[in-house]
Amino acid sequence: MNKCTFISKRYIKGKKSCLAGSHWLSLIGIIIGVSALLLILTVMNGMRDVIIKRIISSSPEMELNLNDDDNLENITKTLESFDFVKYINFVNEEDLVIIHKNETILSKFIGINLEKFQENNDILNKIVYSNTIQRESGLISGHNNIDFFKKDGAFIGYELSRRYGINLGDKITVISLNKDNFSSFGRLPLSETFTIQGIYSNLIPELESSIVYVADINLKSFSKSNRLYNKINIYTNDFSKANSYKKEIQAVLENNAVNSWSDKNSNLYNAQKLEKTIMSFILGLIIILSSFNLTGSFLKKVSNKKREIGILSTLGFSKKDIMTIFLNQGIILGIIGVFVGNCLAIILLQIQIHFNVITMPANISHLFPTLPISIQVSDFIYVSSFSFTFSILSSLFPIYRIKRLNPIELIKE
């Protein structure tokens, strides 16, 4: 064993325990900081994955806007030529106003071919309940009869139904803000009547309250274009790479705007990212404060070991060797704190994954029945590197103090 490492271990050890009392608080702080930060990151990752999955259940991974002069056949062939594209859906989207029981509701209407839509999307299929708690996205009431849908059927979100008292079988009047009809009374907003055929849920109230599905042929009258569709929904083999895939498609189809799911739901997505960043910063402060405490511990150690430092100098230890002794202490404590913190986090996470010890309150159990967990190796690498770096930095100031000490004066003291 290297002589500097041997002495470093001796300095770390206390007289009556395996660790000097001055180091215990710092080490516990590092362990708690590492484990808490890892736990928070995995929970935030779990919530993000659940939210993204539910967003994509009612919103495409990517969306390509069509122009009036586009050749649909050529665009379809181009999109299908990309290896990452699994399937595409043609839709028509219009921002319309619902009039119901003296309520005026601005909503996004999506015109679809129900039969083709259901082939790759479960949002308008019946779902199964577990212990009366909804755990999946899907059609929670009503029916998905295609003939009824083509006639005048509409599917609305659960939040829209709950908030405005719109129930199955109700008639809703829909008017356009951009297209008018000419009548004997002058220009009047174009309007149509739809019958509520079903109520769906994607477990995200913001989307449930704003998206309404109707038949594509029924929405065509509201469109300013002569086309039946004005958008193409694109689904890929990996939604997490939607932004990079978007750039590849945009490079080929330069005349068509392409948006990813994170672009369309930027407020929700960015809020989740900001929340994760803030939580990481706050918990990271625990590790930084523990490092400051470690610095104080080392300064105290240097002060108490001045005579020993002087003796080591007379025995042939250079200042570099003595500085290495204290640097090794920071490295050893950092390794112990990071290792134990990682182990503690993994144990707690595995307990939650296998036994679901922590369940969510009843008011949000439909969103997250149990605490969601998503373990990512990159988080463990990031937190471990961050904690270990600050453990080493905590020993630099004491090392600088050692560099200024005079061995002869230390022995005289």
Side-chain angles (χ1 to χ4, degrees):
M1 181 185 294
N2 182 280
K3 60 183 180 180
C4 294
T5 304
F6 175 78
I7 297 174
S8 297
K9 290 183 176 180
R10 294 292 298 176
Y11 278 180
I12 289 177
K13 289 182 178 180
K15 295 180 180 179
K16 296 182 180 180
S17 66
C18 61
L19 194 68
S22 58
H23 292 320
W24 270 114
L25 187 59
S26 303
L27 186 60
I28 292 174
I30 293 173
I31 293 172
I32 292 175
V34 170
S35 58
L37 186 51
L38 288 172
L39 291 173
I40 287 297
L41 289 177
T42 53
V43 171
M44 296 299 293
N45 290 337
M47 290 184 174
R48 179 203 61 194
D49 292 348
V50 171
I51 290 173
I52 290 174
K53 182 179 178 181
R54 290 170 182 172
I55 287 175
I56 293 176
S57 70
S58 57
S59 179
E61 296 174 28
M62 285 182 288
E63 181 183 83
L64 182 141
N65 295 317
L66 294 172
N67 303 314
D68 290 339
D69 58 348
D70 284 337
N71 186 314
L72 294 186
E73 185 178 352
N74 290 340
I75 291 179
T76 300
K77 289 181 179 179
T78 300
L79 291 175
E80 292 176 344
S81 67
F82 290 100
D83 295 335
F84 53 79
V85 174
K86 286 176 62 178
Y87 61 90
I88 60 175
N89 278 333
F90 288 87
V91 301
N92 186 16
E93 287 190 12
E94 299 291 340
D95 292 325
L96 305 174
V97 174
I98 298 174
I99 305 297
H100 180 73
K101 295 180 179 178
N102 299 322
E103 294 282 357
T104 303
I105 312 158
L106 180 63
S107 300
K108 180 180 292 295
F109 278 68
I110 301 180
I112 59 173
N113 180 314
L114 183 58
E115 192 172 7
K116 291 183 178 179
F117 185 83
Q118 288 178 325
E119 290 178 0
N120 301 298
N121 199 307
D122 294 329
I123 191 68
L124 300 182
N125 290 329
K126 277 284 188 178
I127 66 171
V128 178
Y129 286 84
S130 176
N131 298 325
T132 70
I133 296 176
Q134 183 186 344
R135 300 183 186 276
E136 301 177 43
S137 300
L139 190 63
I140 60 177
S141 61
H143 61 89
N144 50 19
N145 181 275
I146 294 176
D147 292 333
F148 188 96
F149 184 67
K150 287 181 179 179
K151 183 181 178 182
D152 64 355
F155 295 97
I156 63 172
Y158 170 75
E159 185 65 19
L160 182 63
S161 170
R162 184 196 65 81
R163 188 179 299 176
Y164 297 101
I166 306 176
N167 302 310
L168 289 176
D170 285 356
K171 299 283 186 179
I172 58 172
T173 301
V174 178
I175 64 173
S176 172
L177 300 177
N178 302 315
K179 199 170 182 180
D180 300 329
N181 269 338
F182 290 95
S183 69
S184 56
F185 298 100
R187 298 179 63 179
L188 295 175
L190 177 64
S191 66
E192 296 285 350
T193 300
F194 292 92
T195 303
I196 303 304
Q197 175 179 351
I199 299 173
Y200 73 86
S201 174
N202 56 17
L203 304 179
I204 300 180
E206 290 81 1
L207 298 181
E208 290 179 0
S209 63
S210 62
I211 298 178
V212 179
Y213 294 97
V214 297
D216 46 18
I217 55 175
N218 294 333
L219 196 61
K220 185 179 184 301
S221 58
F222 290 96
S223 177
K224 289 185 176 181
S225 171
N226 293 324
R227 292 186 181 279
L228 181 60
Y229 304 109
N230 57 17
K231 295 180 186 292
I232 299 179
N233 291 344
I234 306 169
Y235 296 84
T236 70
N237 51 24
D238 188 353
F239 69 84
S240 64
K241 297 180 180 179
N243 285 323
S244 61
Y245 292 154
K246 179 187 75 171
K247 294 178 182 178
E248 294 185 42
I249 295 175
Q250 191 71 80
V252 177
L253 299 172
E254 298 178 352
N255 297 326
N256 300 89
V258 183
N259 297 311
S260 67
W261 62 266
S262 58
D263 296 328
K264 291 192 65 178
N265 302 277
S266 58
N267 291 337
L268 187 61
Y269 182 66
N270 291 333
Q272 197 277 336
K273 286 178 64 178
L274 179 62
E275 185 179 13
K276 179 180 178 180
T277 301
I278 293 174
M279 292 298 295
S280 300
F281 174 76
I282 293 173
L283 291 172
L285 290 177
I286 297 176
I287 299 173
I288 296 174
L289 290 173
S290 300
S291 299
F292 285 145
N293 190 54
L294 200 58
T295 299
S297 177
F298 283 153
L299 286 172
K300 182 180 178 182
K301 183 73 70 174
V302 170
S303 179
N304 293 337
K305 298 290 184 180
K306 284 184 178 180
R307 180 177 174 83
E308 287 84 345
I309 292 173
I311 294 173
L312 289 174
S313 298
T314 61
L315 292 175
F317 282 75
S318 64
K319 284 189 176 180
K320 183 179 179 180
D321 291 333
I322 298 173
M323 292 165 66
T324 302
I325 290 172
F326 284 88
L327 179 62
N328 285 345
Q329 292 182 63
I331 293 174
I332 293 171
L333 291 172
I335 291 173
I336 295 173
V338 169
F339 177 76
V340 175
N342 275 266
C343 290
L344 180 61
I346 291 172
I347 291 171
L348 294 175
L349 290 172
Q350 291 301 318
I351 291 174
Q352 175 62 22
I353 291 172
H354 290 92
F355 302 103
N356 290 325
V357 176
I358 302 176
T359 57
M360 305 306 287
N363 60 333
I364 59 171
S365 60
H366 65 290
L367 296 174
F368 307 105
T370 60
L371 197 66
I373 299 293
S374 178
I375 299 176
Q376 295 186 1
V377 176
S378 58
D379 287 336
F380 281 77
I381 295 174
Y382 158 73
V383 173
S384 298
S385 302
F386 175 79
S387 306
F388 185 66
T389 299
F390 271 93
S391 297
I392 295 176
L393 291 175
S394 66
S395 59
L396 293 182
F397 184 64
I399 287 174
Y400 176 75
R401 290 284 301 273
I402 293 171
K403 189 175 181 180
R404 300 173 59 187
L405 296 177
N406 187 320
I408 304 300
E409 293 182 358
L410 293 177
I411 294 174
K412 289 181 179 179
E413 290 181 4

